């Protein structure tokens, strides 16, 4: 059984290599990290424990069809950290059987054999501002275990120390497609217009730092697209 908090969509993927992709979302519960700026803390802090449903792969697929109808052929598995769940392999097998491609983002703290069946795998190690520490050996293990797949690295940046960390990760794995993304540190902001102006200014700040840097020749600089459109709203 898979612990599920949310099933929603279709919507656009707001982050990483598949930004803008039409997708459904399955959000699982549980995480082994406690990032200071986590925008999905309800997946691990206990505040949504009553919303967790234990579902079979077939039940998840049927609910996706009920919610999204015939409008999709792509599912993003989100969290929390879905990599904690070995049982997700059954769901991914079912998606493959149904002709549905998949995307998954994880911080790279755990490896699962079913990673090899994910269509678009994003490893997003967490920078110093998160308060977490990166296991570089585990990142190596995951990248070696998924060699030849559609795998990318993404680092969320809140300050110049985070950007230095992003550079370090990029230099360790220079052949892996690399994305740098602005973070949202105003999770309680209710005024969408005010938040949008702030996030756009942070995106410009990051662009201005990355463009003149010769160590960032092969990177892509992204906003968090869904926050530009929907602000801090959940389930979009």
């Amino acid at each position: 059984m898979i612990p599920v908090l949310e099933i929603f969509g279709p919507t656009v993927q707001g982050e990483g290599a598949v930004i803008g992709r039409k997708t459904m979302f399955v959000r699982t519960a549980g995480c082994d990290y406690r990032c200071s700026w986590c925008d999905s803390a309800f997946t691990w802090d206990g505040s949504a424990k009553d919303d967790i449903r234990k579902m079979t792969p077939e039940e998840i697929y049927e609910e996706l069809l009920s919610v999204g109808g015939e409008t999709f052929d792509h599912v993003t598995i989100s969290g929390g950290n879905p990599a904690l769940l070995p049982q997700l392999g059954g769901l991914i097998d079912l998606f493959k059987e149904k002709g549905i491609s998949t995307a998954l983002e994880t911080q790279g703290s755990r490896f699962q054999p079913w990673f090899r069946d994910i269509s678009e795998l994003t490893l997003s190690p967490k920078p110093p501002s998160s308060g977490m520490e990166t296991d570089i050996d585990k990142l190596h293990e995951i990248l070696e275990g998924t060699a030849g797949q559609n795998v990318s690295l993404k680092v969320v940046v809140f300050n110049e120390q985070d950007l230095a960390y992003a550079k370090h990760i990029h230099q360790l794995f220079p052949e892996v497609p690399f994305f740098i993304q602005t973070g949202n540190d105003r999770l309680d902001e209710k005024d969408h217009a005010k938040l949008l102006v702030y996030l756009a200014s942070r995106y410009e700040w990051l662009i201005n730092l990355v463009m003149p840097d010769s160590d960032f020749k092969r990177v892509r600089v992204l906003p968090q697209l869904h926050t530009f459109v929907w602000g801090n709203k959940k389930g979009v």
Side-chain angles (χ1 to χ4, degrees):
M1 304 292 279
I2 298 167
V4 175
L5 274 169
E6 292 183 302
I7 293 176
F8 62 91
T11 186
V12 294
Q13 172 58 255
E15 306 188 15
V18 290
I19 190 169
R21 176 67 157 94
K22 183 179 182 181
T23 189
M24 297 290 291
F25 272 84
V26 175
R27 187 184 299 280
T28 61
C31 192
D32 50 336
Y33 275 22
R34 300 292 185 268
C35 295
S36 62
W37 35 251
C38 179
D39 61 1
S40 304
F42 63 93
T43 63
W44 51 262
D45 66 6
S47 62
K49 62 182 179 180
D50 293 336
D51 298 326
I52 297 172
R53 293 179 291 160
K54 299 292 184 67
M55 302 178 72
T56 66
E58 292 75 18
E59 288 170 338
I60 292 171
Y61 177 68
E62 289 302 320
E63 184 158 331
L64 284 165
L65 289 180
S66 175
V67 173
E70 299 296 325
T71 66
F72 70 96
D73 66 357
H74 186 276
V75 174
T76 298
I77 302 171
S78 184
N81 184 11
L84 298 177
L85 305 173
Q87 64 268 40
L88 276 175
L91 179 62
I92 294 156
D93 287 343
L94 179 59
F95 286 156
K96 288 178 68 177
E97 177 188 321
K98 302 295 184 180
I100 295 172
S101 57
T102 51
L104 182 134
E105 180 177 312
T106 175
Q107 59 261 46
S109 59
R110 302 283 182 95
F111 174 77
Q112 294 290 351
W114 51 257
F115 280 7
R116 300 186 181 100
D117 296 314
I118 294 291
S119 309
E120 295 136 343
L121 178 65
T122 299
L123 303 180
S124 183
K126 305 309 178 188
S129 63
S130 70
M132 301 292 105
E133 293 189 10
T134 301
D135 186 338
I136 298 297
D137 290 338
K138 183 60 67 173
L139 279 181
H140 275 284
E141 176 190 332
I142 295 171
L143 287 166
E144 289 173 1
T146 56
Q149 288 181 239
N150 191 4
V151 181
S152 61
L153 283 160
K154 187 195 82 178
V155 174
V156 178
V157 169
F158 288 84
N159 54 45
E160 293 193 25
Q161 186 181 14
D162 288 353
L163 188 60
Y165 168 89
K167 181 181 293 190
H168 175 62
I169 296 296
H170 183 43
Q171 290 171 333
L172 286 175
F173 308 102
E175 299 307 313
V176 180
F178 193 79
F179 297 82
I180 305 174
Q181 181 178 295
T182 50
N184 176 13
D185 58 1
R186 294 194 176 179
L187 300 176
D188 295 325
E189 179 60 69
K190 305 299 184 185
D191 187 324
H192 184 192
K194 187 182 296 184
L195 180 63
L196 178 57
V197 170
Y198 172 73
L199 293 175
S201 72
R202 296 301 295 166
Y203 186 37
E204 182 181 18
W205 166 82
L206 185 57
I207 290 170
N208 289 339
L209 286 177
V210 171
M211 293 305 110
D213 194 321
S214 61
D215 291 322
F216 284 131
K217 291 186 176 76
R218 300 177 59 228
V219 303
R220 299 184 188 186
V221 185
L222 300 178
Q224 243 187 348
L225 181 61
H226 56 283
T227 60
F228 274 44
V229 179
W230 293 292
N232 289 316
K233 185 178 179 181
K234 287 173 56 179
V236 292

